[in-house]
Amino acid sequence: MKRDNIPEVENTAECGRGNRLIDAVSPQEKPVVRKKVKGQKFIKTQVTPVEPCDEKAMLEVQHLTKSFGELKVLDDISTKIYPGEKVSIIGPSGSGKSTFLRCLNVLEDPTDGYVFFDGKNLSNLKVDINVERRRMGMVFQQFNLFNNMNVLRNITLVPVYVGLKELAKTKRHNFFIKIANIFKKKQDKKPLIPIEKTKKSIKEEAEANAMRLLQRIGLSDKAKAYPSTLSGGQRQRIAIVRALAMNPEVMLFDEPTSALDPEMVGEVLSLIKELADEGMTMVIVTHEMGFAREVSTRVLFMADGKITEEGTPKELFGNPKTERLKDFFSKVL
Amino acid sequence: MSSFEIFWNRVSNPDTAMSILNGLKNTMIIAVFGLLLGFIIGCILASVLIMPSNNIVAKVLKRIADLYIAVFRGTPMMVQLLLMHFAVFATVRIEPVVEVSLIFGFNSGAYMAEIIRSGINAVDRGQMEAGRSLGMGYAATMIRVVLPQAIKNVVPTIGNEFISLLKETSIVSAIGLADLTMVFKSIATATYEYFIPYIALALIYFVLVLIVTLIIKLLERRFAKSEKR
């Protein structure tokens, strides 16, 4: 193993899009990635060129590769997820399922390849990742509720933050229009952008929405409770609701039931199933085979960083083709 | 006259009593402002230290922060005090208490930076990921989610820092500022009685530290409460 080629491990708290600065991402240009390798200055590496993306697909993954140092976790994965689809990802642990899911909203930087969300290349640094992430809900294995806030604040934090930010932006915009208007003739004057919301109304709206969502999962009496006082199942359901409060177009579930006691798995799965029945697009990494079979419209079987087999649950569970999948089923079913 | 009576006669003199109070005030001002300034500097340095270093500005800032911490932790407080007082601040006319508070703040900032950094690192990485995955920026998640939890983690350690800062203020007599130690020293030298004044001085510091400890405990309990309701 050549030591020189191990990339310098950077602080990972940045949650994606740090180490990979893409210079060119349009199909015509040759994309080049600047990467820092220990002992050298930035070296430029060629990566796979971008192919035109499918406009109908909600999420499109092109030649996704992810390696941690020498270890290749994801190896040239390409797939498309269309609106309304419920995709389950199954596979042995260490096969890169979670990494794949994390690459979908760029919590993990892909080493190579692209993820398109609604036609936007998420590797392009010009795309505001925070705006795109608001349309993608993510649910974690460890719930990751904000420990320093009560349940209601947990749910309303981001909607209020986004609302206030947009309000401030509009106000700033209006201010500049006003200044520009001073120098213009009467007929050229630009109209101001109307502001309908106030800080208070944004907050109240978010709270009402949060209470409605809490009522739906039957936890409205826990609105003022802190996450540490809740059970695992309750926490996970609140985490799901927190993601829903942003009205996402796609939900990503990263093993939502793996950290739960067996008796609490049911309540979380039934909530996810309810969402699925409402037509939400979802990607679910799971070890619950029965659930994957019941809910999903498509199942991906991942092994050794590749999608080894995919198909409808009926095909995959009824008639597994590859040896690897047969072997996997013989162990888990 | 017993040595205690000599001391008592001296202290009961209104002038001396006032100067003791004044010394106490100076000591407290230096400790509290030093802590506050140190906290602010520490927060800034810590946020620089944990910043993802993917651009040149971040890298330069990181180097500066590293250098700052290395210098202020690597030299004795006394040396810093002398150097700052007689070299850096020699030409600047500011209130001596303010000057010393600044010096203590600079010094404490270096320690505080490491304390706060470790506090931030102790917060579960998932918290940052959750905030980011919901679409908040790095800074917003840091301020709203990670830092409040980090500060809760570091309250005991900051208390510790405050206690050592409070005791360390006793060295400011080296530059002639009338703090508690300086006042008692002058009492002792004036009466040629050393035992009682210095025991009294030690007792005063001890009581101050006890009070601070109590405040930290209350704060800690309050913070712990906010999570279990």
Side-chain angles (χ1 to χ4, degrees):
Chain A
M1 203 157 67
K2 274 189 282 177
R3 294 217 75 181
D4 306 6
N5 280 339
I6 301 170
E8 197 178 88
V9 179
E10 300 270 338
N11 193 333
T12 44
E14 64 205 48
C15 296
R17 304 228 305 179
N19 324 339
R20 193 165 184 244
L21 308 161
I22 293 203
D23 284 343
V25 276
S26 67
Q28 291 81 29
E29 292 171 89
K30 268 188 189 164
V32 167
V33 171
R34 278 182 287 150
K35 225 192 234 170
K36 202 181 177 211
V37 175
K38 207 172 187 180
Q40 292 175 29
K41 293 215 161 174
F42 282 113
I43 54 156
K44 294 193 168 185
T45 38
Q46 291 278 313
V47 290
T48 331
V50 190
E51 290 158 19
C53 72
D54 186 347
E55 281 181 6
K56 279 182 206 145
M58 173 142 313
L59 274 165
E60 179 174 345
V61 181
Q62 283 179 7
H63 306 292
L64 187 65
T65 304
K66 173 75 189 173
S67 37
F68 294 108
E70 297 275 308
L71 182 73
K72 222 172 200 182
V73 184
L74 297 177
D75 191 1
D76 199 8
I77 290 181
S78 297
T79 186
K80 288 172 188 173
I81 293 159
Y82 290 97
E85 259 193 316
K86 288 115 188 92
V87 180
S88 294
I89 304 174
I90 58 172
S93 54
S95 59
K97 307 184 297 291
S98 282
T99 312
F100 174 70
L101 200 74
R102 290 162 63 83
C103 278
L104 287 185
N105 72 355
V106 217
L107 276 182
E108 213 68 78
D109 268 325
T111 317
D112 192 359
Y114 304 92
V115 177
F116 287 89
F117 175 55
D118 211 10
K120 289 197 186 92
N121 187 346
L122 296 186
S123 300
N124 187 347
L125 289 179
K126 280 175 192 149
V127 172
D128 186 354
I129 190 67
N130 292 331
V131 173
E132 301 310 318
R133 276 183 187 148
R134 281 169 206 158
R135 298 158 62 202
M136 285 194 250
M138 176 121 184
V139 176
F140 297 89
Q141 186 178 356
Q142 300 296 340
F143 330 127
N144 292 348
L145 289 179
F146 304 134
N147 293 325
N148 56 333
M149 303 170 189
N150 63 27
V151 169
L152 192 64
R153 274 277 284 156
N154 256 291
I155 302 171
T156 55
L157 176 72
V158 184
V160 169
Y161 167 77
V162 172
L164 291 184
K165 215 176 166 188
E166 263 156 30
L167 184 71
K169 201 177 159 193
T170 330
K171 277 185 179 164
R172 211 162 49 228
H173 220 92
N174 274 349
F175 177 71
F176 284 118
I177 291 176
K178 262 186 203 165
I179 288 185
N181 277 350
I182 296 173
F183 304 103
K184 280 179 185 161
K185 284 177 198 153
K186 211 166 191 182
Q187 61 271 23
D188 300 344
K189 282 191 199 278
K190 259 189 176 172
L192 298 182
I193 305 163
I195 299 174
E196 287 147 9
K197 289 175 177 172
T198 59
K199 280 183 188 176
K200 210 177 160 194
S201 80
I202 288 171
K203 215 177 159 198
E204 275 166 4
E205 208 175 286
E207 265 168 25
N209 189 30
M211 285 313 288
R212 189 179 56 75
L213 287 164
L214 279 176
Q215 220 140 43
R216 174 184 170 167
I217 56 169
L219 288 176
S220 48
D221 55 326
K222 299 279 186 197
K224 293 275 179 254
Y226 277 76
S228 54
T229 60
L230 301 174
S231 76
Q234 288 170 333
R235 280 191 232 181
Q236 190 61 297
R237 282 187 291 156
I238 286 162
I240 294 173
V241 157
R242 179 178 69 174
L244 283 179
M246 300 295 296
N247 296 319
E249 289 160 36
V250 54
M251 290 281 281
L252 312 174
F253 292 93
D254 186 2
E255 303 192 23
T257 58
S258 296
L260 294 177
D261 292 340
E263 56 174 338
M264 291 169 182
V265 170
E267 56 188 79
V268 172
L269 288 186
S270 66
L271 176 60
I272 298 174
K273 192 164 182 316
E274 239 176 74
L275 288 178
D277 292 341
E278 284 168 20
M280 177 74 80
T281 315
M282 311 192 199
V283 185
I284 311 165
V285 170
T286 185
H287 288 296
E288 304 279 333
M289 293 305 147
F291 177 70
R293 191 173 191 167
E294 194 182 349
V295 162
S296 48
T297 54
R298 186 151 62 101
V299 180
L300 306 181
F301 173 67
M302 278 182 75
D304 311 320
K306 284 188 175 135
I307 297 179
T308 316
E309 202 170 332
E310 68 176 299
T312 61
K314 220 177 202 175
E315 283 166 21
L316 225 75
F317 286 93
N319 181 20
K321 290 187 196 85
T322 53
E323 233 11 79
R324 193 79 180 75
L325 184 55
K326 276 178 202 163
D327 184 44
F328 177 70
F329 279 150
S330 73
K331 279 175 192 153
V332 296
L333 288 181
Chain B
M1 267 199 291
S2 74
S3 56
F4 182 76
E5 276 168 23
I6 296 171
F7 173 67
W8 186 248
N9 280 340
R10 189 91 193 169
V11 170
S12 51
N13 180 355
D15 284 352
T16 326
M18 272 318 286
S19 68
I20 288 176
L21 280 183
N22 195 38
L24 183 66
K25 192 188 80 185
N26 281 347
T27 296
M28 288 312 286
I29 286 176
I30 294 167
V32 170
F33 280 93
L35 183 84
L36 288 181
L37 183 65
F39 185 71
I40 293 165
I41 291 178
C43 276
I44 295 167
L45 288 179
S47 52
V48 167
L49 285 178
I50 54 141
M51 203 158 52
S53 62
N54 48 16
N55 60 42
I56 190 83
V57 179
K59 271 174 195 162
V60 169
L61 284 177
K62 238 178 213 187
R63 283 285 159 80
I64 294 172
D66 276 340
L67 186 72
Y68 181 97
I69 292 172
V71 167
F72 278 91
R73 284 202 311 184
T75 50
M77 183 68 230
M78 185 70 159
V79 177
Q80 284 168 31
L81 192 69
L82 293 173
L83 195 67
M84 294 281 238
H85 180 69
F86 293 111
V88 181
F89 285 122
T91 52
V92 195
R93 245 176 220 284
I94 45 173
E95 198 69 14
V97 183
V98 178
E99 181 195 322
V100 172
S101 305
L102 283 179
I103 298 168
F104 272 84
F106 291 153
N107 178 271
S108 158
Y111 289 92
M112 215 71 104
E114 290 294 322
I115 293 172
I116 293 168
R117 190 178 66 91
S118 72
I120 291 171
N121 282 342
V123 176
D124 183 18
R125 266 196 63 193
Q127 299 283 317
M128 176 54 99
E129 282 177 4
R132 294 308 303 276
S133 80
L134 285 165
M136 275 203 295
Y138 176 81
T141 317
M142 206 69 201
I143 292 164
R144 285 173 176 73
V145 179
V146 179
L147 272 182
Q149 295 182 45
I151 287 173
K152 190 157 36 184
N153 285 344
V154 298
V155 165
T157 333
I158 286 186
N160 216 350
E161 172 70 18
F162 184 55
I163 289 172
S164 64
L165 201 64
L166 183 67
K167 291 185 295 182
E168 198 135 296
T169 53
S170 61
I171 65 168
V172 301
S173 54
I175 60 161
L177 180 69
D179 77 321
L180 212 50
T181 310
M182 182 81 168
V183 172
F184 274 83
K185 205 168 158 188
S186 65
I187 292 173
T189 36
T191 56
Y192 300 107
E193 280 290 344
Y194 295 99
F195 184 69
I196 299 289
Y198 286 149
I199 277 287
L201 178 61
L203 263 178
I204 291 177
Y205 275 116
F206 185 69
V207 170
L208 283 181
V209 169
L210 273 187
I211 294 169
V212 172
T213 317
L214 196 75
I215 293 171
I216 297 163
K217 273 203 179 131
L218 285 177
L219 267 180
E220 250 181 273
R221 204 177 299 165
R222 232 195 98 96
F223 277 129
K225 222 184 199 171
S226 73
E227 239 177 52
K228 295 188 186 101
R229 237 188 326 197

